[in-house]
Amino acid sequence: MSHYQIAVIVGSLRRESLNQKLANAVAKLAPAEFTFKQVAIGELPLYNQDDDANQAASVKQLKADLLASQGLLFVTPEYNRSVPGVLKNAIDHASRPYGKSAWANKPAGVMGVSVGAIGTALAQHSLRSILSYLDVPTLGQPEVYLQTKEGLFDAEGNIGKDSLMFMQVWMKTYVAWVKAHNV
Ligand SMILES: Cc1cc2nc3c(=O)[nH]c(=O)nc-3n(C[C@H](O)[C@H](O)[C@H](O)COP(=O)(O)O)c2cc1C
């Protein structure tokens, strides 16, 4: 395979979202053969099983974008020690109707940044549990638990110097792992 498209799912809709900034900065570390493209989850309706036979256009688009990808990257805040509702809503939508999930077998990276010291660890573990049920293999190491601090991003929105080498190693590992899942 010569080109890999990664669907990026950001769990925050906030204008100044740190996780959005992280997703943008991480994408810049990707090699030329990888494209990181964010999928839209902010306009999805609230999931209602009654609509499974007639999914909204935004849901169909989300599922098409996921199915067209060779891998996933979840970048999410922690809300009340779990995943934000907006992210769970998107996961539920794309998992249905039963037997027609768009998630299965897409290798996923998981990361997040938080104001809290444990750097979204509990949200990520909750997310990994959900993804396991959906047959989404997740990259185990290196884990990425970031706490926001001065210099996490530089003035151009790149990963700051203190975390740069760590995130470059993460990207190298993730790229090799996605390739291994797409032979
Ligand atoms: C509803 C809500 C719940 C939150 N719960 C947690 C939490 O459990 N752990 C944590 O570290 N931060 C928590 N925070 C703080 C977030 O880490 C912080 O708002 C962060 O900037 C959100 O990510 P974002 O910048 O990408 O929007 C919470 C924030 C909100 C709005």
Side-chain angles (χ1 to χ4, degrees):
M1 213 167 187
S2 61
H3 186 260
Y4 300 81
Q5 177 131 323
I6 304 302
V8 181
I9 306 101
V10 176
S12 172
L13 305 181
R14 195 167 75 86
R15 268 189 301 278
E16 295 298 318
S17 166
L18 296 165
N19 285 279
Q20 181 65 66
K21 286 181 186 158
L22 177 60
N24 296 345
V26 167
K28 294 194 215 174
L29 301 177
E33 63 199 311
F34 272 64
T35 302
F36 283 63
K37 187 170 172 242
Q38 191 166 335
V39 296
I41 64 170
E43 303 299 324
L44 298 173
L46 284 178
Y47 177 76
N48 180 339
Q49 195 178 356
D50 289 342
D51 301 330
D52 271 9
N54 186 24
Q55 291 183 311
S58 55
V59 176
K60 286 183 180 156
Q61 184 62 56
L62 171 65
K63 292 185 75 176
D65 289 344
L66 296 173
L67 288 167
S69 73
Q70 282 73 49
L72 310 169
L73 174 60
F74 290 87
V75 188
T76 186
E78 179 172 284
Y79 276 5
N80 301 313
R81 298 291 182 238
S82 188
V83 294
V86 66
L87 175 56
K88 183 61 162 56
N89 188 53
I91 292 172
D92 291 343
H93 269 300
S95 72
R96 292 280 155 164
Y98 184 76
K100 302 272 183 206
S101 170
W103 299 111
N105 303 315
K106 302 283 179 190
V110 176
M111 63 177 63
V113 53
S114 157
V115 296
I118 60 172
T120 76
L122 290 177
Q124 289 190 42
H125 281 263
S126 177
L127 178 58
R128 285 178 192 275
S129 164
I130 296 164
L131 295 177
S132 153
Y133 176 74
L134 293 171
D135 273 336
V136 175
T138 53
L139 178 66
Q141 300 293 338
E143 295 171 300
V144 184
Y145 304 132
L146 295 171
Q147 183 178 24
T148 184
K149 60 169 186 170
E150 189 73 31
L152 179 60
F153 304 107
D154 70 14
E156 283 75 47
N158 302 301
I159 303 285
K161 62 177 171 34
D162 289 352
S163 303
L164 183 57
M165 195 180 291
F166 173 70
M167 292 308 299
Q168 285 170 330
V169 168
W170 179 89
M171 180 59 79
K172 202 170 167 216
T173 311
Y174 175 75
V175 161
W177 186 74
V178 168
K179 285 182 178 176
H181 278 82
N182 282 282
V183 283

